[in-house]
Amino acid sequence: MLEAAVKSAALDQVLDDIYSVDAVKRFKTDPSVYDMVTTGWRLYPDAVSFQSSNRWDVAGATKFGFRTVWINRSNQPEEYRDFPPALILPSLEGLLAAG
């Protein structure tokens, strides 16, 4: 289903890999979910830039060691002060300038 959605959105030409929690039979924020990326790409967690509009997901990825960006589209309040993102942006467009 995930691969079909990616292909339907024409993202299959710009993505190198697709990871699904189904592969580890766990849900985010279980560390094994984020570990799929570091293991698959043979990277240390701090070499991964992780973006999400879900603050809980950013907290889990930050705790795992990823460099995180919270895409806070609707100006939601901070809920996870113990695991702050490296950057907060109002949209994905800000990633181009943050480069």
Side-chain angles (χ1 to χ4, degrees), residues 19-41:
Y19 293 95
S20 170
V21 297
D22 190 54
V24 292
K25 306 295 186 219
R26 298 280 189 267
F27 294 103
K28 292 177 177 180
T29 60
D30 187 290
S32 64
V33 173
Y34 306 107
D35 187 57
M36 287 190 294
V37 174
T38 56
T39 298
W41 283 88

Side-chain angles (χ1 to χ4, degrees), residues 67-82:
R67 290 178 297 114
T68 56
V69 180
W70 179 24
I71 309 301
N72 188 0
R73 292 184 177 107
S74 55
N75 201 28
Q76 294 295 309
E78 174 60 82
E79 296 179 284
Y80 301 94
R81 296 192 189 282
D82 291 345

Side-chain angles (χ1 to χ4, degrees), residues 3 11 17-18 26 36 43 54 62 65 69 71 83 85-86 88 98:
E3 288 180 14
L11 293 173
D17 279 317
I18 301 170
R26 298 280 189 267
M36 287 190 294
L43 297 169
N54 299 311
T62 299
V69 180
I71 309 301
F83 303 103
I88 301 171

